Amino acid sequence: MIVLKSREEIALIRKASRIVAEVLDEVAAMVRPGVTTDELDRAAEKLTLQKGAKPAFKGYRPHDVVYPKSLCVSINNEIVHGIPSARKLKPGDIVGLDFGVVYQGFYGDAARTLPVGEVSERARRLMRVTREALYAGIEQARLGNRIGDIGRAVQQVAERAGYSVVQEFAGHGIGRRLHEDPQVPNYFRSGMPNPRLQEGMTLAIEPMVNEGTAELEILDDGWTAVTADGKLSAHFEHSIVITANGPEILSEL
Ligand code: MF3
Ligand code: CO
C-alpha cells in the first residue's frame, strides 16, 4: 500500500532528509587517503545524535543478518551496503556513502559516490553518469507519469553511456518506515507493477550503475554487494516528494 503524506508529514521527512544531507556533507569532507571507513561511520553517528536524530540503518534487519553500523561505505567494486571497518581509503578509490536517519518518527535516506584523491577518468565518468541517471529519474517524478517512467529514464542514461543498472536493489517509498511501497526499480519492463505517481508520494530514488555486468554477489558478511566481474560501481540517492509543481528534492541543502 502506498501512503500519501500530508503537509505536516512531508515537513518531517524534509527535516530528516536535510539532516542526512548535512551529515553526508560533513562525512564527505573527511574522505581522503588514510581515513578508515569506521571513522566515517562514527562521525556520521555522532553528528546525527547531535542533531536530535537517530541513524536509520544500525540494527536494521530486513533479512537474517542485522546491519551493524550507521553508514554504508561501498568502495570501488562494492555496489551497496559495504560495512564500515578498519579498512583505509586509498588514493584512486571511489567511495559510496549511503546514509539514513529517523527524526521524530520519519525517515530520510540519501547516497553519493566520491573520489578519494585523484581518480581515473574512467571512474569520474561512471560517477558523473550515475549522478545524471539519478537526476534524469527525479525529473520524471511528476504527476501524469508512473513509477516505471523513473526507471526508464535512469536505465536509458546508464545504458546509453555503456553501463548497466543493478536490478536486485531498487529505490523505495519512504516515510514512517525506511522502506515503504512502492518499489522504485532502476529499469522498466512491461508487465511490472507500475503505479501512477501522485501528489504527496515520498520516494527514495537510488540508481546503482555498474561499469561492466549488472550481476552481483553478496559477500560472506551477509550485506556487501559486489560486482560479479570486479569492475567499478557507483550509487547516488535522493529522497524526494512529488508535488503539484513537480519533484522536490528533500535530501539536498
Ligand atoms: N539506501 C539503502 C536502502 O535504502 C540503504 C539501506 S542500508 C540498510 O536500501 F542497512 F538499512 F539496509
Ligand atoms: Co534507500
Side-chain angles (χ1 to χ4, degrees):
M1 188 196 56
I2 299 174
V3 184
L4 302 180
K5 275 76 176 186
S6 67
R7 184 200 294 273
E8 292 72 28
E9 291 169 325
I10 291 164
L12 289 169
I13 298 166
R14 183 181 289 111
K15 175 71 185 180
S17 300
R18 206 180 162 77
I19 292 171
V20 171
E22 290 169 357
V23 170
L24 279 176
D25 274 0
E26 297 212 45
V27 174
M30 293 173 62
V31 166
R32 56 179 160 71
V35 75
T36 71
T37 57
D38 262 339
E39 288 173 297
L40 303 179
D41 177 69
R42 282 196 296 272
E45 181 166 310
K46 180 161 173 235
L47 290 161
T48 300
L49 296 173
Q50 280 170 359
K51 292 170 191 288
K54 285 207 293 216
F57 302 166
K58 198 170 190 166
Y60 188 66
R61 190 174 178 275
H63 51 272
D64 47 332
V65 193
V66 173
Y67 192 74
K69 299 285 170 114
S70 295
L71 185 68
C72 296
V73 184
S74 306
I75 303 168
N76 298 335
N77 60 312
E78 297 174 352
I79 300 168
V80 280
H81 302 162
I83 302 176
S85 70
R87 178 170 176 182
K88 288 187 165 91
L89 299 182
K90 296 201 308 289
D93 285 345
I94 62 169
V95 58
L97 305 175
D98 186 355
F99 191 58
V101 307
V102 55
Y103 177 78
Q104 293 186 12
F106 287 86
Y107 285 82
D109 187 7
R112 50 178 95 151
T113 303
L114 327 171
V116 182
E118 278 291 304
V119 305
S120 65
E121 168 55 25
R122 215 177 103 195
R124 280 201 301 273
R125 178 172 177 270
L126 176 68
M127 291 188 286
R128 185 182 73 239
V129 169
T130 308
R131 190 191 305 104
E132 285 169 2
L134 169 61
Y135 281 84
I138 291 171
E139 180 55 34
Q140 294 302 314
R142 46 181 77 252
L143 302 184
N145 280 351
R146 292 174 178 269
I147 284 289
D149 294 303
I150 298 172
R152 184 191 288 106
V154 166
Q155 182 176 28
Q156 200 169 75
V157 169
E159 291 183 354
R160 282 186 179 165
Y163 300 137
S164 63
V165 294
V166 171
Q167 305 207 356
E168 280 87 344
F169 300 107
H172 47 94
I174 186 163
R176 285 192 188 272
R177 289 184 296 128
L178 175 62
H179 295 132
E180 296 185 351
D181 288 342
Q183 282 213 65
V184 186
N186 293 304
Y187 59 90
F188 177 77
R189 256 199 304 272
S190 61
M192 71 188 219
N194 197 11
R196 247 176 231 295
L197 299 176
Q198 295 177 72
E199 204 173 334
M201 279 176 73
T202 44
L203 303 175
I205 303 177
E206 50 177 319
M208 287 141 267
V209 175
N210 293 355
E211 233 189 336
T213 180
E215 299 312 309
L216 62 78
E217 286 163 15
I218 305 292
L219 299 186
D220 287 340
D221 62 22
W223 280 99
T224 312
V226 299
T227 56
D229 59 8
K231 292 188 177 175
L232 298 177
S233 185
H235 179 209
F236 284 84
E237 175 176 22
H238 273 310
S239 295
I240 67 145
V241 58
I242 296 171
T243 76
N245 303 318
E248 180 195 345
I249 300 177
L250 301 175
S251 51
E252 192 165 66
L253 296 179

